[in-house]
Amino acid sequence: MTAPFDGKAFSRGLSTAPGVYRMVGADDKVLYVGKASALKNRVSSYFNATPKSARIMAMLSQTVRMEVTVTRTEAEALILENELIKSLKPRYNVLLRDDKSYPYVLLTNEAWPRIAVHRGPRSIPGRYFGPYASVGAVRDTLNLMHKLFKLRSCEDSVFRNRSRPCLQHQIGRCSAPCVGLVSAREYAESVRRATLLLEGRSDELTDELGRAMEGAAQRLDFEEAARLRDLVSSIRTLQARQYVDGRAADLDVLAVSMQGAAACVVLLAFRDGRNLGTRSFFPRTNGSENAEEVLAAFVSQYYGEQLPPGEIVIDRDIPDRELIQQALSASGERKVEIRHRVRGDRAGYLDMARRNAQITLASERTSHAAQLARAEDLRELLGMAALPQRIECFDISHTMGEATVASCVVFDAEGPVRGQYRRYNIAGIEPGDDYAAMHQAISRRFRRAVASDTVDVDDPAAATRRKRVDKAAAVLPDILLIDGGAGQVAQARAVLDELGIEGVALVGVAKGPARRPGDEELLLPDGRCVRPGAGSPALQLVQQVRDEAHRFAITGHRGRRQKARNTSRLEDIPGIGPRRRANLLRHFGGLGGLKAAGAEEISRVEGVNAALAERIYATLHGLESAGNAPGAGATRSEE
């Protein structure tokens, strides 16, 4: 038997240098990561006679060893602590959990930069401004950029193939660099000025534009002076609207509310005096009931990834506030001030954030309690020993057999896990065969789970292959919902039996005779068919998951169907090969421009004669032509 960890002896051998310590459990998983200004003093405090919380005592009882990393400064220790928490996700640390990605304004790094809303990994080269509290705030910002600076928003595929200005230029929201209506120097200057405004330097921008306006007037270039005057006027109007109540600011306001170990942090963001709205976060506290600790962890982790503003207002003092302030100033290359004692407008903002945090947490707790009640009722209905921790649901969507798509949505104890949703494009079946579509989708999903278990760990290439296996697919659901009747359920059962998968409760969800919500029939794993009724909490949970699967499936189907209709029309015309198709799309700037053209205009494209132009026009408009008639010959195909 392994001897218990002697924390006192371990701490005696440490130095008083700053650093990071890690508590490790018997399974070699890190239980907790902490920072210290003096490692010896901090670590020894865990093993003295001072009374400690139940959470700390539980953590210490599971610790079999400790590891330390010495750093040069306490600020370096803070940064390292945040990086380790994000990568290791220790059980006893407060963790910032947020399934949604942040919306940003993206200004690409190209010869002719475009400005657009961006979500997800920041892999596109360019500058990212944000994050914003909502997509609505981003769209308001983009609308302002287009009005003031006329930057392009189109994708590169459209930009490269334009032959004439688009509607955005016609309504004065783009300078049409795609067709050379603005010089590279003028466009670059617009990009630079837009950057100043996005950085919150509107006063500097208006001063610069004012000087440029005076210079243009002195050169007697009154047209340019008038344009600059209108631009300055628009920015001044914007500033007046923002600052009319005296609330000009570039700051974030944070408030935390706690009920037991449940926490909600509300962020109220202002940039250049504009209120960007609020956003709520629900950190995983892992048993901590200390609001100051939760808020400190949130500030460290959140601004470890996001560029902090110059001022952060918090509703209470936090441990190591000055240290965190110093680290954020160093990482953001600007002075960052964290304040908790404020008056005037900032006190009003703080009160608003605090009330929002309390209301949001209460609502979330009520919602969570209702979710648990529905899960408990479903557990009883299915005769399960424990609450289901993972529910998956499959649905099929198509239009008369066209563009069939299957969806798989995932719910855990806290609700939907959108990052693990999957769609499957169904192919190789008879159009409209829902049974075959369900069989294919279930097979593709669970074969990946089996594949993840059969990777040979002794194989040198095993690590590479394991990375290719979806980690979410390796986890089997407790309940597998199938949107359909006995036929679809039989297909799912056949796949599970074929793969040797056990322990998954298979439930079919069939519409009742009246096809009304609440009349659904559930085909249970034991073969029974029950109709719980609209008042059943179990059915309400099943409906929630099934409706999400249906929404996700039909969205994917519509996208696939539209894509097929946009791309296959030209490919289906005899005599149109890759080269002619590219020439047509390039000449007209896309399929929309081609459909708007007449046959005579189409015939002007290189490689397209009059007969082929007539056939293209007829096909795109659903007309018959001699070339489309049965038995009609095709023009010589392209190599």
Side-chain angles (χ1 to χ4, degrees), residues 215-518:
Q218 291 174 1
R219 297 192 308 270
L220 305 183
D221 188 354
F222 299 116
E223 185 175 342
E224 175 66 8
R227 188 185 70 81
L228 293 171
R229 178 203 61 200
D230 294 341
L231 187 56
V232 170
S233 177
S234 298
I235 297 175
R236 294 291 188 199
T237 302
L238 173 70
Q239 289 177 319
R241 186 165 63 249
Q242 294 164 0
Y243 303 160
V244 66
D245 55 1
R247 298 180 181 180
D250 184 15
L251 61 89
D252 283 350
V253 181
L254 294 169
V256 61
S257 177
M258 295 197 68
Q259 294 181 16
C264 173
V265 178
V266 164
L267 166 66
L268 176 59
F270 296 85
R271 293 297 181 271
D272 198 25
R274 287 180 293 148
N275 188 334
L276 302 183
T278 62
R279 185 161 187 170
S280 302
F281 301 82
F282 300 93
R284 184 178 296 156
T285 64
N286 290 326
S288 174
E289 298 182 10
N290 187 312
E292 289 77 12
E293 179 187 358
V294 170
L295 186 58
F298 177 89
V299 172
S300 297
Q301 295 178 42
Y302 181 79
Y303 293 110
E305 295 183 347
Q306 317 299 333
L307 183 67
E311 182 180 356
I312 301 173
V313 177
I314 53 179
D315 70 333
R316 66 197 70 211
D317 199 8
I318 58 176
D320 301 316
R321 175 172 53 84
E322 293 183 358
L323 174 63
I324 296 173
Q325 182 174 282
Q326 175 188 346
L328 295 183
S329 299
S331 62
E333 298 181 353
R334 62 189 297 184
K335 183 179 180 181
V336 177
E337 184 179 6
I338 302 178
R339 304 172 59 192
H340 69 284
R341 292 195 179 103
V342 292
R343 294 184 297 177
D345 292 335
R346 284 163 174 73
Y349 298 150
L350 207 52
D351 183 61
M352 180 169 60
R354 188 181 293 115
R355 283 187 284 110
N356 272 276
Q358 294 169 351
I359 294 171
T360 304
L361 180 60
S363 175
E364 179 71 12
R365 295 277 286 176
T366 302
S367 174
H368 185 64
Q371 189 81 355
L372 287 177
R374 290 192 288 266
E376 175 63 28
D377 195 51
L378 183 59
R379 182 196 67 78
E380 293 181 1
L381 179 65
L382 301 180
M384 301 175 67
L387 284 175
Q389 297 300 310
R390 183 183 178 92
I391 302 174
E392 295 185 14
C393 182
F394 279 78
D395 189 22
I396 305 294
S397 181
H398 59 81
T399 302
M400 300 180 66
E402 178 190 3
T404 303
V405 171
S407 71
C408 172
V409 301
V410 180
F411 276 59
D412 64 8
E414 299 183 10
V417 187
R418 294 183 174 85
Q420 297 182 18
Y421 285 12
R422 295 293 181 267
R423 289 194 184 102
Y424 302 92
N425 290 332
I426 304 301
I429 66 170
E430 191 70 24
D433 188 346
D434 286 356
Y435 295 163
M438 184 63 72
H439 188 283
Q440 183 180 134
I442 297 290
S443 178
R444 288 167 62 182
R445 186 266 179 261
F446 286 98
R447 283 189 188 280
R448 301 187 73 180
V450 173
S452 68
D453 291 333
T454 57
V455 175
D456 184 2
V457 294
D458 296 326
D459 184 349
T464 302
R465 290 204 299 273
R466 190 179 294 274
K467 288 180 180 178
R468 296 173 185 167
V469 177
D470 189 347
K471 291 182 180 179
V475 182
L476 295 177
D478 299 308
I479 300 175
L480 177 59
L481 299 179
I482 303 297
D483 187 17
Q488 285 88 344
V489 173
Q491 294 295 326
R493 172 56 61 194
V495 172
L496 297 182
D497 291 344
E498 175 188 348
L499 298 176
I501 294 176
E502 299 178 349
V504 176
L506 184 60
V507 179
V509 187
K511 295 181 176 65
R515 303 180 68 84
R516 291 183 309 213

